[in-house]
Amino acid sequence: MTEVADSTGAPAPARRTNKRGQATRENMLEAALKSLASGDPGSVSANRIAKDIGATWGTVQYQFGDADGFWAAVLHRTAQRRAEIFSTVDPTAPLRDRVAGIIDTLYHGLAEPDSRAIENLRAALPRDPAELERHYPQSAAELYSWGQSWLETCRNAFAGLDVDPNRIREVATLIPGAMRGLVSERQLGSYADLDVARRGLTNALVAYLQVLGTAPAAAAAAQHHPDHLRRRS
């Protein structure tokens, strides 16, 4: 990444800022998201983003410590916005509506500028987790936190329903990648009916998640079935 050259030497510690400094920090984060969302590979440079708003690399160091601190702050900003989208859950909604809500929200949200920005940033960061943690420990920690907060979001989305927690974890792990695939198909252009694809994915996830709720009922019914009693006698 460009930032390997930008962040030579020991990182400067991020400092507490005044109102003017906070405004500069906010401007840099918004400029970063706008630049990253353009899809230009050269946009993944804190130095370049700083210059775009009339700041310097020294400003990046003062506000964020180094490039890693800057990218971690960008990731955190988008995580906050995403959390707001999923903050409300209707406790009376049935399982199908909750699954469909997640699928539809991601289908539209992954095409938004914040999502495009993060895709571009992640594409420039090391793929290997060990390498990422070695060179960009703060960004790695933020991405790990993303995974944990998404799992918690899914747990909250299905709160109050008789759903296997292990299956919630599996579904939470599956959904982001599956939705990126559908969004990619839409962006590239496809003869496939993506509404049908979304409906099929929703149906499959609902069927998988509701197994826990139906299995005990089926077992209880079997316990009282005459054939079952005769087999035991």
Side-chain angles (χ1 to χ4, degrees), residues 7 30 47 49 55 74-75 97 103 117 147 163 168 174 185 207 213 216 227 232:
S7 56
E30 290 303 317
N47 200 0
I49 292 167
V74 170
L75 290 166
D97 288 357
I103 297 299
V163 180
I168 292 177
L174 168 68
E185 281 294 296
D227 289 343
R232 294 192 59 184

Side-chain angles (χ1 to χ4, degrees), residues 21-140:
Q22 186 62 31
T24 299
R25 180 184 178 91
E26 294 296 315
N27 288 340
M28 290 193 67
L29 291 175
E30 290 303 317
L33 288 169
K34 181 178 179 180
S35 180
L36 290 167
S38 71
D40 179 2
S43 66
V44 190
S45 167
N47 200 0
R48 171 178 162 176
I49 292 167
K51 290 179 180 178
D52 286 347
I53 63 169
T56 65
W57 173 245
T59 305
V60 176
Q61 290 181 304
Y62 185 88
Q63 295 292 340
F64 304 99
D66 61 359
D68 180 32
F70 183 47
W71 301 134
V74 170
L75 290 166
H76 187 70
R77 169 62 60 85
T78 60
Q80 289 177 314
R81 290 176 176 174
R82 185 188 62 203
E84 293 172 0
I85 295 173
F86 290 100
S87 60
T88 303
V89 177
D90 180 1
T92 66
L95 177 61
R96 176 172 297 279
D97 288 357
R98 300 193 200 192
V99 173
I102 293 174
I103 297 299
D104 291 345
T105 298
L106 288 181
Y107 185 71
H108 297 293
L110 286 173
E112 292 296 312
D114 274 11
S115 293
R116 296 200 307 270
I118 297 310
E119 288 293 318
N120 198 28
L121 173 57
R122 289 183 61 186
L125 291 170
R127 269 49 163 196
D128 179 63
E131 184 182 357
L132 177 65
E133 291 168 8
R134 183 165 61 253
H135 295 293
Y136 299 91
Q138 295 178 73
S139 298

Side-chain angles (χ1 to χ4, degrees), residues 153-214:
T153 293
C154 290
R155 285 171 174 160
N156 291 337
F158 302 117
L161 299 177
D162 191 14
V163 180
D164 185 345
N166 291 324
R167 295 201 172 195
I168 292 177
R169 176 183 288 275
E170 292 167 358
V171 165
T173 304
L174 168 68
I175 287 177
M179 295 313 301
R180 286 191 188 95
L182 290 180
V183 171
S184 177
E185 281 294 296
R186 181 179 61 187
Q187 292 171 341
L188 294 173
S190 174
Y191 287 109
D193 188 332
L194 298 181
D195 289 338
V196 171
R198 285 158 56 197
R199 187 163 63 249
L201 178 60
T202 298
N203 290 340
L205 295 178
V206 169
Y208 186 65
L209 289 172
Q210 70 184 5
V211 167
L212 181 63
T214 58

